[in-house]
């Protein structure tokens, strides 16, 4: 009896992305040109590049932000189906950044929005953003007494 082992090759995209939080706790999401899903700003990590260096480069390119390394607080690694590349899985190194400077869309960014993670977001969202990162943002919110 012969057994054939089937292996599925997972196509992976390794990225660094940021949960950019405004002083009022809203979160910045971006939509790249030619796509429909909103997601965190960031992008692919190049060979030999650290996740923080990739994030700094991508934020500068996409939003005109200059971020010091100590401003990027590592949150963790997350995986989800890629929003814009069918058949690929995105493996994301996620950082949280308290943002206190203006942003402007640049490079491939077509639209930027600020969302309240405590409210329902009525936008098409990338799986990573919808299933992991927006829910996680609630943990970063200060506790308020009512």
């Amino acid at each position: 009896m012969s057994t054939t082992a089937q292996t599925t090759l997972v196509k992976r995209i390794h990225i660094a992305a940021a949960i950019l939080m405004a002083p009022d706790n809203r979160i910045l999401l971006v939509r790249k040109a030619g796509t429909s899903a909103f997601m965190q700003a960031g992008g692919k990590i190049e060979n030999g590049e650290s996740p923080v260096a990739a994030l700094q480069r991508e934020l500068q390119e996409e939003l005109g932000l200059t971020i010091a390394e100590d401003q990027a607080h590592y949150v963790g690694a997350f995986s989800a189906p890629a929003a814009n590349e069918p058949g690929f899985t995105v493996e994301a190194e996620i950082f949280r950044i308290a943002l206190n400077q203006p942003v402007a869309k640049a490079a491939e960014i077509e639209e930027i929005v600020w969302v309240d993670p405590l409210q329902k977001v009525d936008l098409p969202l990338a799986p990573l953003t919808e299933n992991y990162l927006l829910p996680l943002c609630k943990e970063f919110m200060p506790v308020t007494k009512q």
Side-chain angles (χ1 to χ4, degrees):
M1 185 155 124
S2 171
T3 304
T4 304
Q6 290 187 346
T7 58
T8 303
L9 180 63
V10 177
K11 300 179 211 167
R12 301 176 194 279
I13 303 168
H14 193 203
I15 68 164
I19 296 171
L20 296 169
M21 297 187 74
D24 65 0
N25 294 319
R26 289 180 303 147
I27 307 301
L28 182 77
L29 299 178
V30 302
R31 185 178 60 77
K32 296 181 180 186
T35 67
S36 61
F38 284 85
M39 61 189 64
Q40 271 60 40
K44 294 175 183 164
I45 300 170
E46 296 177 356
N47 286 338
E49 189 175 41
S50 73
V52 171
L55 185 65
Q56 289 172 308
R57 176 181 49 75
E58 290 286 346
L59 293 179
Q60 178 63 47
E61 291 173 5
E62 293 180 352
L63 300 170
L65 291 175
T66 301
I67 302 296
E69 189 171 330
D70 64 354
Q71 285 179 274
H73 303 281
Y74 187 69
V75 174
F78 298 85
S79 294
N84 300 320
E85 298 181 54
F88 282 79
T89 296
V90 66
E91 293 185 347
E93 306 292 335
I94 302 297
F95 296 84
R96 180 174 50 92
I97 298 172
L99 198 59
N100 56 6
Q101 56 185 298
V103 298
K105 60 183 179 176
E108 73 268 19
I109 302 303
E110 189 166 301
E111 190 174 357
I112 58 175
V113 295
W114 290 95
V115 299
D116 180 344
L118 298 178
Q119 303 294 320
K120 181 179 178 351
V121 177
D122 193 22
L123 296 168
L125 299 173
L128 182 70
T129 299
E130 182 172 19
N131 299 326
Y132 297 102
L133 303 184
L134 282 181
L136 181 65
C137 289
K138 296 172 187 174
E139 295 181 23
F140 304 136
M141 307 290 254
V143 176
T144 57
K145 294 183 180 181
Q146 295 192 6

